[in-house]
Amino acid sequence: MNFRIDRRSALMTSAALAASTMMPAWAQDKPTLRFAAVFSDKDIRADMMRMLAKDVEGDFKIEPFLGGTLFKQGTELVALQRDNLELGNVGPQDISKQVPAWSVLTSAYTFRDANHVLAFFASPLGAEMKKQAEDQLKIKILGPTFYGTSHLVAFDVLCMNLKTWDAMGPVKRNNFMAAVDKALGWSVNEHLKREAELVDGFKEQGLEINTPDIAAFRTYAQKVYLASDEAKSWAPGILDKILAIK
């Protein structure tokens, strides 16, 4: 069998090959999203990230760097901003260094429990504060990564490099966020489950479990914070609005 390749066909083939080599990696390969955090491989949040990686493996490969092995604590945010990192676990206190209004989220006893944290980030007020940080820092805040207890609330935020987020497209963004919400929710439940198991274990050993007067701690802490220089950067009435979220 004889094949004829005329000049026009050859040019079209060459153009197609050239175009394919110029396509961005996002259009050709499954993107690798490097994730940096200081928590260890044994942390519940490490399992959270493994769950997320499994759920999005059809579109992305998440490559975790835990224990501060890629970026040391406190530098993840800058790495995201400089396009040196795709995903990072960022402390709200690091965000507040560049966006002072965020310091209200780092003040003690602002949040009652894990559900209060989740409700805040899902609320219009939470969306407003996320947008404020995103516009100023050029990152995407995906949600809170809880690591506290039922009485001592603590959280970081899972953030994405803005260039990575923009390159996803609406369908992949929606799918990715659904997987993020699932993983973050699982992590919260697992933390509280682990706490309950520990309390039950202590009681079985005959230990007495005392419940602190959280309301007294909260009242005193808020009085101190409201009188501090930090509060000068807070939007008027922001603390009361956060406390009112159910």
Side-chain angles (χ1 to χ4, degrees):
M1 182 181 294
N2 295 323
F3 293 92
R4 290 185 57 200
I5 301 179
D6 57 26
R7 183 172 181 272
R8 183 181 180 186
S9 297
L11 289 173
M12 292 177 64
T13 301
S14 297
L17 288 172
S20 68
T21 60
M22 294 173 64
M23 290 175 68
W26 277 83
Q28 299 181 62
D29 305 312
K30 182 190 300 184
T32 295
L33 308 179
R34 294 167 300 163
F35 169 72
V38 297
F39 54 73
S40 76
D41 184 68
K42 305 299 182 184
D43 195 291
I44 291 173
R45 290 168 295 174
D47 290 331
M48 173 193 78
M49 291 306 299
R50 282 187 276 268
M51 173 183 290
L52 176 60
K54 179 68 175 176
D55 286 346
V56 301
E57 64 181 356
D59 294 321
F60 309 97
K61 176 185 177 183
I62 294 181
E63 186 176 5
F65 293 87
L66 307 181
T69 54
L70 186 61
F71 294 100
K72 66 180 182 180
Q73 186 171 13
T75 65
E76 302 92 346
L77 176 56
V78 174
L80 290 165
Q81 292 174 294
R82 293 178 177 176
D83 297 332
N84 294 326
L85 182 66
E86 291 75 43
L87 280 170
N89 190 63
V90 178
Q93 65 273 14
D94 293 325
I95 292 177
S96 69
K97 291 175 183 177
Q98 298 187 48
V99 186
W102 259 63
S103 64
V104 67
L105 304 184
T106 70
S107 59
Y109 297 103
T110 295
F111 294 98
R112 295 181 298 275
D113 50 33
N115 287 331
H116 189 193
V117 173
L118 295 177
F120 164 75
F121 277 95
S123 71
L125 180 60
E128 181 182 323
M129 291 201 69
K130 282 191 293 183
K131 187 176 187 304
Q132 178 188 41
E134 290 168 352
D135 289 347
Q136 294 186 43
L137 303 180
K138 305 305 178 185
I139 59 171
K140 178 64 181 179
I141 298 173
L142 304 179
T145 54
F146 179 80
Y147 64 93
T149 69
S150 58
H151 297 302
L152 185 60
V153 180
F155 66 93
D156 292 324
V157 284
L158 180 62
C159 298
M160 178 174 279
N161 164 270
L162 190 59
K163 183 182 293 185
T164 304
W165 176 258
D166 289 342
M168 278 186 173
V171 174
K172 288 186 177 180
R173 283 181 200 162
N174 289 339
N175 292 340
F176 195 89
M177 279 307 306
V180 166
D181 291 341
K182 173 186 172 184
L184 296 185
W186 174 87
S187 180
V188 169
N189 291 333
E190 197 66 17
H191 275 90
L192 299 181
K193 175 185 173 184
R194 189 79 55 88
E195 178 190 1
E197 291 172 349
L198 287 171
V199 170
D200 289 342
F202 292 149
K203 289 180 177 179
E204 289 175 1
Q205 295 176 36
L207 299 176
E208 182 180 351
I209 306 298
N210 295 314
T211 302
D213 187 347
I214 300 297
F217 278 109
R218 179 174 293 111
T219 299
Y220 179 76
Q222 289 168 1
K223 180 180 178 180
V224 171
Y225 276 103
L226 285 170
S228 70
D229 289 338
E230 280 188 0
K232 294 177 182 179
S233 65
W234 300 355
I238 185 70
L239 183 59
D240 288 337
K241 291 178 182 178
I242 294 174
L243 296 175
I245 293 174
K246 303 298 183 182

